[in-house]
Amino acid sequence: MARQSMHNRRAGRGSTSTGTSWISYSDMMAALVLIFVLILSVALHSYMNQLEQKSLELDEQRALVIAKQAEVDKIIIQLDEKQTALDAQSAELILAQDELATAQDELEAAQIILISQQTELDEANTALASREAQLIILQGELASKQVELDAATAVLTAQKQELAAQAQKIDNIVGLRTQIVSDLSTTLSRSGLRATVDSTTGDIMLESAVFFGFNSSELSAEGKALLDRFLPAYMSVLLSAEYRDYLGEIIIEGHTDSVGEYMTNLELSQARAQTVVKYILTTPALSAQQRELLRTLIVPKGKSYTDPVYNEDGTINDEKSRRVEFKFSLRDADMIAEMNRILQEMETE
């Protein structure tokens, strides 16, 4: 088109005058175009070389990018796997955090309980310390009481031993009284004397009518004769070497009937008992040694009508109530009787 345009302009100017110049111009233009084409070819060739080089480089870079992309994909896959694991761990962590929160709540509750229990423990320790102090005091008191108990036990042991000895003594004395009663009964029977001997106490009852007249304290001849027969037999037993060291008292008791006033009968019974005692201490029927010994043993007692004798129907027998009784007590008999009672109580306990 460019050539055609130039040709047309040249034709308009005239084909003759301008023919030569046109050819020159055309050649010049052709040369320029050829140069341009050459330059363009060279440039294009250079560009193509460069493009090819760049393509190679780009292919290399693309291959490198692909390799890198593969590595990246691999890394992404690994990251995804790690993310999945991380998500699982996160879920586990959340669950663990929930459990931890629950455990924390439980721990706080347990701490509250622990504080409460610690407070209770402190209070218990305080109470325990107080009780331990009290226990120490009580142990001291107990030790003191134990010492006292040991001392009391020792005393009690000694007392038991003494009581055992006294018990043996009681047995001996009980046996001794029984033996005396037996000997009295035998001796009086051999002497032909009628006297009632109490099998337990050894008391002997003689009718007062034999000794005294009614309302009298003067000893009758018949009474003196009976005493002269009775006293040697009676005293031969009580004042024998076998028994006299055990005697405490020989009691002469006077008794009256229930007729009259108490004081009158008391004076009468006492006077009768004294009359019998005076006769015993002066009668030649006993030896001087016996009478001397009897002065330390014999005791007169008036009983008035306080201890009457009863009939089987429960009425008072005034005749038998008027009597004189001979009694004896063994040395320390009252004390021994009390000890015997204590021993019996101890045995029942």
Side-chain angles (χ1 to χ4, degrees):
M1 291 271 314
R3 292 178 178 178
Q4 184 66 36
S5 297
M6 291 177 65
H7 179 71
N8 291 333
R9 283 193 298 268
R10 289 172 178 171
R13 293 177 182 173
S15 58
T16 303
S17 57
T18 60
T20 303
S21 58
W22 170 252
I23 294 171
S24 297
Y25 178 75
S26 175
D27 292 336
M28 182 181 63
M29 290 301 294
L32 288 172
V33 170
L34 181 58
I35 292 169
F36 177 75
V37 171
L38 288 172
I39 293 171
L40 182 59
S41 296
V42 172
L44 182 59
H45 184 269
S46 176
Y47 174 75
M48 291 301 295
N49 289 335
Q50 291 179 0
L51 181 60
E52 185 178 357
Q53 184 66 32
K54 292 294 182 182
S55 295
L56 292 174
E57 292 177 359
L58 185 58
D59 291 337
E60 291 176 358
Q61 290 178 357
R62 185 178 292 112
L64 183 60
V65 168
I66 291 171
K68 293 293 183 181
Q69 185 64 41
E71 293 178 0
V72 169
D73 292 339
K74 185 178 180 180
I75 292 172
I76 289 173
I77 292 172
Q78 293 176 351
L79 288 176
D80 291 338
E81 292 175 354
K82 289 181 179 180
Q83 184 64 42
T84 301
L86 184 60
D87 292 339
Q89 291 176 354
S90 296
E92 293 176 357
L93 180 60
I94 292 171
L95 180 60
Q97 286 176 342
D98 293 338
E99 293 176 353
L100 181 61
T102 302
Q104 185 68 30
D105 294 337
E106 293 176 354
L107 179 61
E108 290 175 356
Q111 287 176 340
I112 293 173
I113 295 173
L114 181 61
I115 292 172
S116 176
Q117 291 177 344
Q118 184 64 42
T119 302
E120 293 176 357
L121 180 61
D122 292 339
E123 293 175 354
N125 286 333
T126 302
L128 179 62
S130 176
R131 291 187 179 181
E132 286 178 349
Q134 293 177 357
L135 180 60
I136 291 172
I137 295 173
L138 291 175
Q139 285 175 341
E141 294 177 354
L142 180 61
S144 177
K145 294 292 184 183
Q146 185 63 44
V147 173
E148 294 177 1
L149 180 61
D150 292 341
T153 302
V155 172
L156 182 60
T157 301
Q159 289 177 344
K160 284 183 177 180
Q161 292 174 351
E162 183 178 353
L163 286 173
Q166 293 295 338
Q168 184 61 43
K169 187 176 180 180
I170 290 170
D171 293 339
N172 293 338
I173 290 176
V174 170
L176 182 65
R177 181 179 288 276
T178 302
Q179 185 62 40
I180 292 174
V181 171
S182 176
D183 288 351
L184 281 174
S185 298
T186 301
T187 302
L188 293 176
S189 177
R190 286 176 180 175
S191 301
L193 294 166
R194 293 182 179 179
T196 303
V197 181
D198 189 292
S199 60
T200 302
T201 63
D203 297 345
I204 297 175
M205 183 174 65
L206 300 175
E207 293 182 4
S208 182
V210 176
F211 295 98
F212 304 101
F214 179 75
N215 200 28
S216 173
S217 62
E218 184 178 351
L219 191 60
S220 66
E222 185 181 3
K224 292 178 181 179
L226 179 57
L227 287 176
D228 288 342
R229 292 176 57 206
F230 172 76
L231 289 173
Y234 184 71
M235 297 304 175
S236 68
V237 175
L238 291 183
L239 300 181
S240 66
E242 185 179 359
Y243 302 131
R244 64 189 176 195
D245 291 338
Y246 296 98
L247 280 178
E249 289 181 336
I250 296 177
I251 303 102
I252 310 300
E253 282 188 356
H255 297 262
T256 67
D257 55 27
S258 58
V259 178
E261 297 293 330
Y262 170 79
M263 290 303 299
T264 302
N265 283 301
L266 179 62
E267 292 174 358
L268 178 60
S269 64
Q270 184 67 27
R272 287 177 174 177
Q274 289 176 344
T275 298
V276 173
V277 169
K278 287 177 182 178
Y279 185 80
I280 293 172
L281 294 178
T282 57
T283 180
L286 299 177
S287 67
Q289 183 182 5
Q290 287 176 326
R291 292 195 301 270
E292 184 66 26
L293 183 59
L294 283 171
R295 287 189 180 94
T296 63
L297 296 174
I298 201 163
V299 176
K301 286 186 179 181
K303 301 291 288 185
S304 187
Y305 53 67
T306 57
D307 190 12
V309 177
Y310 293 90
N311 295 312
E312 291 182 358
D313 60 0
T315 60
I316 295 176
N317 188 325
D318 285 330
E319 184 179 352
K320 289 186 177 182
S321 295
R322 294 189 295 270
R323 69 194 187 277
V324 175
E325 290 190 8
F326 286 75
K327 298 182 177 182
F328 68 90
S329 66
L330 298 177
R331 189 173 296 173
D332 299 329
D334 293 339
M335 180 190 69
I336 293 171
E338 178 64 17
M339 291 177 64
N340 191 29
R341 182 185 65 79
I342 294 173
L343 284 172
Q344 290 176 350
E345 290 180 355
M346 292 176 63
E347 288 176 358
T348 57
E349 292 177 357

